[in-house]
Amino acid sequence: MPAFRRYCLLILAFAMVNTLHAASVQLGLPLPTAHGESVAAITAALNIAQAAHVQRVTIAADWPRIQPTATTWNFAWLDAVIDAARARQLQVVLVLGPAPKWTVSYLGANPGPAEVRRACPVTSAYAAYASAVARRYQQRVTYYQLWERPACGTLLAMPKDVYALYAAGAQAVHAVSASLRVIAMDPGDLNLGWIADYLKAAKGSARADILQLAPVRYTLSTSTFAWRLQTLRERVLPAQSPPTLWAQLPLTPEMPANGLALAAQALICGVPELTFASVSDACVVALPSPTVLSATRFLSPLLAKTWRGWAQLAPNVQGCIVGDQRDMRVLALPVEDDVLHFLTAKQPAAWGVMVTDNTLTVTPAAGSATTYTVRGPLPVAVTAQNSVLLAGVNVAPSAAGQDFRPAPISASSVSLDLSGADPAGIHLLRGLSGGLFNQYTHAGRTVISTVRDTAPWIHVDVPDGFLFYNIARVPVEVTVQVLGATAAQKSGFSIYYDAISGMANSPWQWIAVGPEQVYSYTVRLNDALFSNKDGYDFRLNMGGSTDNIRLIGLTVRKVSLAKK
């Protein structure tokens, strides 16, 4: 079976921030990339998708194959694939791109395939191609995705050039018919700064109808995923006519439980249509994947059920409302690493649901109770259209989500907490690539040390309650305490941080000589966004130092508050 390109498919069922509409819980899967794939191979993938009970499939409208030259068009293969999908009652999303070589003005004489695939085309050629595809399929296909995820491996361009390309494609599709839906994809991990800039740049018919979120580049926790979605709705999306939100979720053999947890959190946060995709930048997921098929099997009891909203059912218990008056489903996740358990009752009000610590107990009106273990800080979703008995209290569901906002920190500064127990402290993230620092005790002090060549970075997470998505541009000062270097210009650092305009570097700072001395260096950041965009807010980067950084303290201070 050939490799399959990762695309995504997911619809959030509300058009306004606080307005919810009934929708079906649906699932989508990607199809082969169609870059040279035969119609037979793609049809085989359609059969897999149909067997997995998905409702939608994503297909690459392979531009080099459709328009190999400026005057040559070839739609026969895509006609056959779309007709095959429709024959299986599968809805289609067409991904527009990547560009053929002749549409790119800056490529050399003999570029490699990867270089061509991530090249940014001339916008006029892209608009003509998007218009031709939309005109041909407007009666058969409603959704048109402007590109793959605009990451360096799929679209090597500055954000302003990506926005211009998106605008050209959106205008071309909308000009064919106002009923067609255009999808724009975020670079990954709910990049709030990128999304805010895109929405500012795109107006009217040049703006996509659907913003597709991609929490797949790094493994987000369910609470972080929910918190970013809430921040997106409250602080980034326009108050009037915001785009609909879609998302794609990671589901791989290496992390099945995380993907299923995010799927449940997506349902709870108002995302009734899901797709699963690979985490890697290679954008490849193989079908049939046992992990994907397992997920669809355990999600299938909810598929095609009416999704009506979400609710805070009790302290630390969130739920989504799915089904009709005669059908209740309790979703406990995960009881096992890659298993979601659904419990069904015909009379939902006759069921009692008790949640204590990590235990879920379900008691029917007649019969014995069943107890499940909920592993880790994962949510429990209780689903029904009418009210649910929870811990003996009749709770009426409402279209109001859980408040994921962390407790606000009023202090003017926060400091490093190595124990990880203080939610108001700065935490170091050990699991990120290049950040497997050493921790030891030296002269009575706890020391955090980089590891030259293998772990040259110390990743830092500033608590969200102190500063998150700093669009107001409150300046901060980062004070770094380190042990001295063994010789001049042997050890130094810069701060690589989440800035308003993207990830940025502070000026280089050499560490003074004195291996047993403590030195403090303060760096002012006037444009720190701190949206935890790449899994952290900033990192200490040792660059080409020959001595490791030996960190003993960190403080982040809001300058505007400190001066009052």
Side-chain angles (χ1 to χ4, degrees):
M1 176 64 67
F4 292 72
R5 169 102 10 213
R6 176 185 66 184
Y7 296 127
C8 44
L9 212 0
L10 168 75
I11 295 179
L12 188 66
F14 51 87
M16 300 295 289
V17 173
N18 295 314
T19 302
L20 303 179
H21 304 278
S24 295
V25 178
Q26 295 192 351
L27 186 68
L29 289 175
L31 283 198
T33 64
H35 302 301
E37 299 287 354
S38 67
V39 173
I42 302 173
T43 302
L46 286 170
N47 291 334
I48 294 170
Q50 184 183 36
H53 306 293
V54 305
Q55 288 74 39
R56 293 186 178 175
V57 291
T58 303
I59 302 171
D62 186 10
W63 189 2
R65 193 171 182 179
I66 288 175
Q67 193 184 13
T69 71
T71 58
T72 305
W73 295 86
N74 170 27
F75 286 104
W77 65 275
L78 191 52
D79 288 344
V81 170
I82 291 175
D83 289 344
R86 287 169 55 84
R88 291 161 176 78
Q89 288 75 52
L90 295 169
Q91 297 181 20
V92 174
V93 174
L94 286 179
V95 181
L96 304 176
K101 181 182 175 181
W102 64 269
T103 66
V104 183
S105 60
Y106 61 84
L107 289 175
N110 296 300
E115 186 180 358
V116 174
R117 282 191 52 76
R118 66 182 184 175
C120 188
V122 174
T123 55
S124 58
Y126 181 67
Y129 150 70
S131 178
V133 173
R135 286 198 310 270
R136 187 173 187 91
Y137 299 112
Q138 59 180 308
Q139 302 302 323
R140 291 178 279 177
V141 176
T142 300
Y143 298 103
Y144 297 82
Q145 183 176 318
L146 293 174
W147 203 268
E148 302 171 45
R149 184 166 60 87
C152 61
T154 57
L155 183 57
L156 189 61
M158 298 295 291
K160 64 180 181 61
D161 297 321
V162 177
Y163 304 154
L165 189 71
Y166 278 13
Q171 286 180 316
V173 173
H174 285 143
V176 172
S177 173
S179 65
L180 301 181
R181 302 292 88 186
V182 176
I183 306 163
M185 195 169 184
D186 122 78
D189 245 20
L190 278 70
N191 189 326
L192 300 178
W194 188 97
I195 292 169
D197 290 343
Y198 166 67
L199 295 175
K200 191 180 301 182
K203 305 293 183 182
S205 64
R207 177 181 290 180
D209 308 286
I210 297 163
L211 178 63
Q212 188 165 354
L213 309 174
V216 298
R217 185 177 178 190
Y218 295 94
T219 306
L220 295 183
S221 67
T222 55
S223 59
T224 300
F225 178 47
W227 164 230
R228 292 192 186 182
L229 272 175
Q230 181 166 312
T231 303
L232 177 67
R233 295 189 190 109
E234 293 184 352
R235 303 180 63 184
V236 181
L237 297 184
Q240 300 298 321
S241 302
T244 300
L245 299 180
W246 291 23
Q248 68 179 9
L249 304 171
L251 190 70
T252 66
E254 295 78 20
M255 52 179 64
N258 182 73
L260 294 177
L262 287 178
Q265 188 65 76
L267 289 172
I268 290 167
C269 288
V271 182
E273 302 193 27
L274 310 174
T275 196
F276 293 116
S278 167
V279 173
S280 70
D281 281 333
C283 302
V284 173
V285 61
L287 289 178
S289 162
T291 305
V292 170
L293 295 179
S294 172
T296 60
R297 181 171 69 252
F298 287 107
L299 284 170
S300 61
L302 286 182
L303 298 181
K305 298 293 180 183
T306 300
W307 181 94
R308 300 179 183 277
W310 71 94
Q312 174 73 18
L313 298 178
N316 302 316
V317 182
Q318 333 155 34
C320 57
I321 307 160
V322 179
D324 55 34
Q325 293 182 357
R326 293 182 175 273
D327 185 24
M328 171 193 174
R329 299 186 184 273
V330 176
L331 165 61
L333 72 119
V335 177
E336 299 170 7
D337 284 345
D338 59 351
V339 176
L340 300 179
H341 287 259
F342 298 93
L343 311 176
T344 305
K346 294 300 182 183
Q347 296 179 343
W351 283 62
V353 181
M354 177 76 74
V355 179
T356 57
D357 298 327
N358 291 333
T359 300
L360 170 71
T361 302
V362 180
T363 306
S368 58
T370 304
T371 300
Y372 297 88
T373 299
V374 182
R375 298 175 57 180
L378 298 175
V380 176
V382 182
T383 62
Q385 179 192 8
N386 55 354
S387 59
V388 176
L389 285 176
L390 181 70
V393 179
N394 196 20
V395 182
S398 62
Q402 177 180 353
D403 187 356
F404 293 100
R405 284 173 288 218
I409 298 172
S410 59
S412 63
S413 64
V414 288
S415 298
L416 181 62
D417 170 42
L418 291 176
S419 70
D422 183 4
I426 296 172
H427 299 145
L428 303 183
L429 305 179
R430 188 177 179 84
L432 297 181
S433 177
L436 297 175
F437 54 81
N438 286 329
Q439 181 172 338
Y440 57 92
T441 300
H442 176 75
R445 297 188 180 95
T446 298
V447 178
I448 302 296
S449 175
T450 55
V451 183
R452 185 186 173 196
D453 298 332
T454 60
W457 306 323
I458 300 175
H459 296 92
V460 180
D461 178 29
V462 177
D464 289 350
F466 177 74
L467 192 65
F468 179 79
Y469 192 62
N470 181 27
I471 203 67
R473 299 177 184 246
V474 174
V476 298
E477 289 181 346
V478 179
T479 298
V480 181
Q481 286 186 302
V482 292
L483 294 177
T486 58
Q489 298 190 357
K490 294 279 285 185
S491 180
F493 66 91
S494 65
I495 295 178
Y496 182 70
Y497 64 101
D498 181 10
I500 296 290
S501 59
M503 301 305 289
N505 262 305
S506 69
W508 182 258
Q509 174 65 60
W510 288 112
I511 296 173
V513 178
E516 302 302 320
Q517 299 296 315
V518 176
Y519 296 97
S520 292
Y521 301 95
T522 297
V523 179
R524 177 163 171 153
L525 307 177
N526 293 316
D527 59 345
L529 184 61
F530 283 8
S531 67
N532 201 243
K533 181 168 59 181
D534 283 340
Y536 57 95
D537 291 312
F538 67 89
R539 74 184 183 211
L540 297 185
N541 172 28
M542 65 177 289
S545 301
T546 55
D547 278 2
N548 289 314
I549 300 171
R550 295 184 296 162
L551 176 71
I552 62 171
L554 261 178
T555 301
V556 176
R557 182 182 302 275
K558 295 178 184 176
V559 175
S560 57
L561 293 179
K563 290 185 176 180
K564 289 184 179 180

